[in-house]
Amino acid sequence: MDGSACNYNNSATVDDGSCEFTSCVGCTIPAACNYDATATVHDSSDCEFPVNGYNCLGECLEDTDGDGVCDMFEIPGCDDSEALNYDPSATDDNGTCTYPVPGCMDGSACNYNNSATVDDGNCDYVSCLGCNDITACNYDATVTLNDGTCNYDCYGCTDDSACNYDDTSTLDDGSCEYLTCYGCIDPKACNYRSSTVDDWLL
């Protein structure tokens, strides 16, 4: 006849000493992992709830990429240990990994690579040396480092109307010839020669 007993009988008029106080005690909160639908007496200390982000089986409530790490706990970053910016705490690769770029990192070398992040020990200090001044006689378009060997004394005939005109000369040395190239330029003639000016004009 004890109302706090699991087997309380409100119709009983004589207590028979059979009161049970444990079999009906349990967690009566439906959201709890150990919810007991048969319990009639709530024991708050007995209820167990899932960890935030997980269900009662320890599974993620949301795991978009299926990697076992719940979306709410993902840490974006570079997760490749071979990358320069590897982040050991990253769980979700965000495409920001950068990798070593081997090359010559010495700015004074012919093959300097400003994109290189690791010096490969192959710097070249010779092949690009020469004259890179376009106004010099010995200008070389492949040269990137001027070694002071530029030559500006390009003497020759600079008159393009002369027989011995030299288009590589920058300084006229007075050697222009205007007669040595005259002759017959008619290929049908007996005295034809590959002259530049027909001497019938003289």
Side-chain angles (χ1 to χ4, degrees), residues 183-195 198-200:
C184 177
I185 62 172
D186 186 346
K188 294 181 291 183
C190 297
N191 61 334
Y192 164 73
R193 69 188 181 95
S194 56
S195 302
D198 197 320
D199 60 3
W200 70 269

Side-chain angles (χ1 to χ4, degrees), residues 96-188:
T96 60
C97 291
T98 57
Y99 297 90
V101 178
C104 176
M105 299 178 67
D106 186 345
S108 64
C110 300
N111 58 335
Y112 167 65
N113 182 357
N114 63 359
S115 298
T117 56
V118 177
D119 198 305
D120 61 3
N122 291 319
C123 290
D124 175 14
Y125 298 91
V126 179
S127 64
C128 63
L129 298 178
C131 178
N132 62 358
D133 186 345
I134 196 171
T135 65
C137 305
N138 57 334
Y139 165 68
D140 184 347
T142 64
V143 170
T144 57
L145 292 177
N146 196 312
D147 62 359
T149 60
C150 289
N151 177 19
Y152 299 92
D153 298 326
C154 310
Y155 291 100
C157 178
T158 60
D159 186 347
D160 60 4
S161 66
C163 301
N164 61 333
Y165 167 65
D166 182 359
D167 60 1
T168 64
S169 296
T170 58
L171 295 174
D172 196 293
D173 61 0
S175 64
C176 292
E177 290 287 341
Y178 298 92
L179 296 176
T180 56
C181 57
Y182 285 98
C184 177
I185 62 172
D186 186 346
K188 294 181 291 183

Side-chain angles (χ1 to χ4, degrees), residues 53-94:
Y54 298 87
N55 60 23
C56 290
L57 298 176
E59 303 168 331
C60 288
L61 296 177
E62 292 184 16
D63 183 10
T64 305
D65 56 10
D67 63 353
V69 180
C70 301
D71 290 351
M72 65 186 299
F73 302 125
E74 290 277 22
I75 300 174
C78 175
D79 62 0
D80 187 347
S81 60
E82 298 297 319
L84 293 173
N85 58 333
Y86 167 61
D87 182 356
S89 66
T91 60
D92 189 21
D93 194 292
N94 60 0

